[in-house]
Amino acid sequence: MSRKEALSQFINQIHGRAVVVKLNSGVDYRGVLACLDGYMNIALDQTEEYQNGQLKNKYGDAFIRGNNVLYISTSKLVKK
């Protein structure tokens, strides 16, 4: 399987699932992946913003520009 095919398969698997998006600035966004394009632009639903592990803000929908993304990871959202 090529890298392109593996990436495409990964994107299909995580679509609609809870993810953590880590930005170059160190801020984490946690939410449900609504959309991801080839430039790593990301749309999230039920988004929460975390700085230094602490919840700072909640957003309904959020759009993150791809050049700010360090990584995307699947995660289970923890509801308190």
Side-chain angles (χ1 to χ4, degrees), residues 23-64:
L23 302 187
N24 296 327
S25 65
V27 176
D28 292 345
Y29 287 91
R30 300 176 190 179
V32 177
L33 182 66
C35 187
L36 174 66
D37 70 10
Y39 295 101
M40 292 286 286
N41 294 318
I42 300 167
L44 296 176
D45 295 325
Q46 304 171 26
T47 310
E48 297 176 337
E49 177 183 28
Y50 288 82
Q51 292 179 7
N52 299 321
Q54 294 188 354
L55 179 63
K56 292 295 180 180
N57 211 340
K58 291 185 179 185
Y59 308 100
D61 298 328
F63 179 80
I64 302 169

Side-chain angles (χ1 to χ4, degrees), residues 1-20:
M1 177 181 303
S2 72
R3 291 183 78 186
K4 186 175 180 179
E5 290 171 334
L7 178 58
S8 179
Q9 183 179 12
F10 173 73
I11 291 170
N12 288 334
Q13 287 176 348
I14 65 172
H15 188 267
R17 291 185 54 198
V19 296
V20 173

